[in-house]
Amino acid sequence: MKELLYIGAGGFLGTLTRYAIQLGIPSANVGFPWAVLLINALGSLFLGWFFTIAVPDKVTPQLRLAIGTGFTGAFTTFSTFTLDIVRLFENGMWTKAVIYIVASLLAGLLLCALGIQLGQLMRGKSSQDGAA
């Protein structure tokens, strides 16, 4: 039961963060869904990094749930991504829809890989610091 509270708390903060970014960037109705592309790309970078550094002896399971599942799960948004694609297609913006799909997938994959590399560098540095 406590796990649900951790996930819920992280989800609350993730949702608020996503909403704040969406308020600051023009909506998909004006052309291109920049906010959701940015949110999902940042979420991919963060999740790759976080689960690389979130080793059991450094990050508690509760914090992993709150941040990894709760925060990042609520921050990123696959459903809005797919809705944006459908709306672009419905409005005859086929080129923008395809660009959005490709850019989202490439950004997500590349930034997740970058996050993993950053996490590995940080873990390597911190393990070297501990050995000194």
Side-chain angles (χ1 to χ4, degrees):
M1 186 59 148
K2 284 184 181 180
E3 290 84 3
L4 296 176
L5 294 174
Y6 294 117
I7 293 168
F12 176 74
L13 295 173
T15 300
L16 292 178
T17 305
R18 174 170 36 110
Y19 183 67
I21 291 173
Q22 286 179 299
L23 285 177
I25 298 176
S27 72
N29 296 333
V30 297
F32 195 83
W34 289 108
V36 175
L37 176 62
L38 176 65
I39 288 163
N40 288 335
L42 289 174
S44 295
L45 174 70
F46 177 76
L47 202 60
W49 171 81
F50 181 72
F51 275 111
T52 302
I53 64 153
V55 291
D57 61 330
K58 302 229 183 231
V59 178
T60 66
Q62 296 84 2
L63 192 56
R64 282 196 303 272
L65 278 174
I67 294 173
T69 303
F71 179 85
T72 311
F75 177 68
T76 58
T77 174
F78 184 76
S79 56
T80 305
F81 166 69
T82 57
L83 178 63
D84 288 338
I85 293 167
V86 169
R87 286 185 176 162
L88 289 169
F89 280 132
E90 286 177 345
N91 291 318
M93 298 182 208
W94 293 82
T95 303
K96 285 184 180 181
V98 171
I99 290 170
Y100 180 49
I101 293 166
V102 171
S104 294
L105 290 174
L106 288 177
L109 291 169
L110 292 173
L111 289 172
C112 183
L114 177 61
I116 291 168
Q117 289 181 339
L118 290 172
Q120 289 171 339
L121 286 172
M122 290 176 70
R123 282 182 58 198
K125 181 179 179 183
S126 65
S127 66
Q128 290 174 359
D129 291 344

